[in-house]
Amino acid sequence: MTAALEASRLGKRYGGKWALSDCSLSIPTGRVVGLVGPNGAGKSTLLHLAVGLLAPSAGTISVLGARPGSGPEALARVGFLAQDSPTYDRLTVAAHLQMGRWLNPAWDDEFASSRISELELDVRQRAGTLSGGQRAQLALTLAVAKRPELLLLDEPVASLDPLARREFLSTLMEIVASRQVSVVLSSHLIADLERVCDYLVLLVSGRVAVSGDVDSLLASHRRLSGPRRDPSTMPGNLMVIEASHAVRQSTIVVRTDGPIIDPAWTVTPLTLDDLVLAYMRQARDGAGAPVSRLAMAP
Amino acid sequence: MEVIEFHLDPSSGVATYLQLVQQVHQALQLGLLEPGDRLPTAAQVVASLAINPNTVLKAYRDLEREGLVRARPGLGTFVVGQLPRTDPAAQEKFRRSMSTWLRSAREAGLAIEEIEAIYRTAVRNCLTEGVA
């Protein structure tokens, strides 16, 4: 099956600085992907590469089996919502819809009109006078009405208040439930995406720190706490992601496929938030000597 | 108007789909749901909780596997099975043994926080065993 997004050793350089480097990914279709990472991790760069607004400096990227932005057909299959849901301040809601109708061959007018009336937006109102939440909903409506197979949303809820955030995500999930569309949405806060995404891609400093199905990731990571212990003496089937030590106690986050049998450990599951933080710290602290390799030593 | 409405406790550490499964179990045990009742559609749950539709479908598949509900294409997901209602006498028995346990923990000098930590760990271990 064609991947929604496939990248191989993808890199993007601005001047002397790599915003994204050595990024290899394969995201299946039909998923809601959370693209997470601190500010400046390369999330926007990856999305801009995926939509064809940027060209790679290294490696390759394909979206739904095609090179991004390679022609009208490739463009029609991808919907993109840039950061802060840009709309044209001086144009009315009706004019936005008219523009969508003119510019997109597969435009779904029925969907667009019914969304706008459900949102109780006055079509004569200028976009500049809408609230942040309403503007985001208008921009989402336009992006979905073009009937894309893949929807890319860059920090769609970052600037919204909690209620607007919840409403935006509800709308998005209703769309996922009723239409055949894969979604990639970015945020620097995993808490924003935890309920909605079933696939995680974590970027740290321009690299992929971890990616995969959320449920499998949660099932394969555990936090162990017990008497102080050198992480390099852990059994080889446990990959150490993060270890911290107090005088008498060690707390270790591991990735493993099997159960943890050593009775010395108190084993607890991780939340998605814990997991993301563990990988972020690993990426920050473990650059010189990967802790995971220490764990593999005999 | 739906028969039941789902809610989520983000701090519980229990996977979202499992919370939905447990709420259906609870509603069956309490007699809030009965055979013939229709569960909220995936779209309704998604709209009210802002969660991934796959999460709802996963919960409903689990319930279907347990023989508690059946999906009827185009119509919705209906309750077909029943769970034994919790016996009030059994509840009372466990409530009493819990009180005894709590009293002995207090007498042993454990603080409320410690007792809660023990309880939470035990519940979590019990749940993860159930999942694995």
Side-chain angles (χ1 to χ4, degrees):
Chain A
M1 206 169 80
T2 315
L5 192 159
E6 189 130 38
S8 170
R9 313 214 59 180
L10 180 67
K12 178 64 192 174
R13 192 178 53 208
Y14 296 110
K17 190 180 179 300
W18 287 89
L20 198 69
S21 61
D22 206 12
C23 170
S24 295
L25 272 177
S26 178
I27 298 174
T29 52
R31 309 304 293 260
V32 179
V33 181
L35 176 60
V36 180
N39 293 321
K43 303 185 296 291
S44 291
T45 301
L46 178 57
L47 291 176
H48 282 83
L49 286 164
V51 79
L53 286 169
L54 288 175
S57 313
T60 58
I61 178 166
S62 77
V63 167
L64 302 165
R67 190 165 57 82
S70 54
E73 202 210 335
L75 286 174
R77 297 170 72 192
V78 179
F80 177 57
L81 201 54
Q83 212 157 345
D84 299 329
S85 309
T87 49
Y88 296 90
D89 278 359
R90 298 174 57 83
L91 295 187
T92 60
V93 171
H96 279 87
L97 297 181
Q98 183 63 260
M99 193 161 59
R101 203 173 295 131
W102 282 337
L103 294 177
N104 296 286
W107 182 257
D108 186 344
D109 211 37
E110 198 187 318
F111 167 83
S113 320
S114 73
R115 265 321 300 164
I116 295 301
S117 63
E118 273 168 49
L119 294 165
E120 298 178 345
L121 289 184
D122 178 356
V123 291
R124 291 163 304 181
Q125 212 179 332
R126 289 177 197 274
T129 64
L130 298 173
S131 72
Q134 290 173 321
R135 251 199 319 277
Q137 293 272 11
L138 172 61
L140 178 64
T141 303
L142 296 174
V144 173
K146 74 177 273 192
R147 296 190 219 243
E149 293 166 53
L150 173 65
L151 196 52
L152 303 169
L153 313 172
D154 195 1
E155 296 269 5
V157 296
S159 60
L160 303 182
D161 65 65
L163 181 61
R165 188 174 291 211
R166 171 59 85 85
E167 284 170 351
F168 183 93
L169 292 175
S170 295
T171 306
L172 181 63
M173 289 303 105
E174 280 180 85
I175 288 163
V176 171
S178 59
R179 304 168 87 89
Q180 298 277 340
V181 61
S182 310
V183 180
V184 177
L185 67 170
S186 71
S187 174
H188 61 281
L189 293 174
I190 183 63
D192 284 344
L193 308 183
E194 191 157 13
R195 285 171 168 231
V196 302
C197 66
D198 53 31
Y199 198 96
L200 174 77
V201 175
L202 174 64
L203 285 183
V204 184
S205 316
R207 290 168 186 276
V208 179
V210 66
S211 75
D213 176 77
V214 169
D215 285 338
S216 328
L217 285 174
L218 290 176
S220 59
H221 287 78
R222 290 285 176 269
R223 178 186 286 114
L224 314 180
S225 59
R228 195 181 158 112
R229 178 157 167 185
D230 179 356
S232 66
T233 64
M234 300 286 281
N237 64 337
L238 301 181
M239 186 167 118
V240 177
I241 307 302
E242 185 190 24
S244 64
H245 307 282
V247 177
R248 299 217 178 95
Q249 195 196 32
S250 289
T251 303
I252 302 182
V253 172
V254 297
R255 180 173 195 156
T256 176
D257 292 329
I260 290 157
I261 2 182
D262 189 340
W265 296 112
T266 303
V267 183
T268 46
L270 286 128
T271 63
L272 200 53
D273 205 25
D274 295 335
L275 190 136
V276 163
L277 287 172
Y279 275 97
M280 280 171 58
R281 283 191 287 256
Q282 185 199 32
R284 187 194 59 194
D285 306 334
V291 190
S292 52
R293 205 162 307 152
L294 279 177
M296 297 304 180
Chain B
M1 195 66 172
E2 296 310 310
V3 186
I4 60 163
E5 202 165 57
F6 293 109
H7 50 87
L8 289 181
D9 177 2
S11 63
S12 69
V14 180
T16 306
Y17 84 93
L18 212 51
Q19 291 193 39
L20 302 182
V21 169
Q22 286 167 356
Q23 281 167 39
V24 170
H25 285 174
Q26 219 161 44
L28 285 166
Q29 277 156 355
L30 295 171
L32 294 175
L33 273 180
E34 285 171 347
D37 285 339
R38 198 179 79 150
L39 294 182
T41 63
Q44 283 168 328
V45 182
V46 158
S48 69
L49 298 179
I51 57 171
N52 189 309
N54 293 332
T55 308
V56 186
L57 297 178
K58 186 171 179 183
Y60 284 12
R61 268 200 309 274
D62 266 34
L63 291 164
E64 193 158 13
R65 230 183 339 246
E66 292 177 82
L68 296 174
V69 305
R70 189 172 303 141
R72 287 162 54 191
L75 294 172
T77 303
F78 292 85
V79 177
V80 293
Q82 267 177 310
L83 281 177
R85 298 272 193 99
T86 316
D87 174 12
Q91 271 191 23
E92 181 53 25
K93 181 181 133 207
F94 285 104
R95 199 186 58 73
R96 261 204 308 267
S97 67
M98 189 85 185
S99 313
T100 315
W101 181 85
L102 282 171
R103 247 194 324 273
S104 68
R106 289 291 277 162
E107 277 161 17
L110 267 66
I112 289 294
E113 294 80 9
E114 293 174 279
I115 295 173
E116 279 174 358
I118 292 170
Y119 170 76
R120 268 200 304 273
T121 313
V123 169
R124 204 160 35 216
N125 289 345
C126 196
L127 282 176
T128 40
E129 274 165 31
V131 175

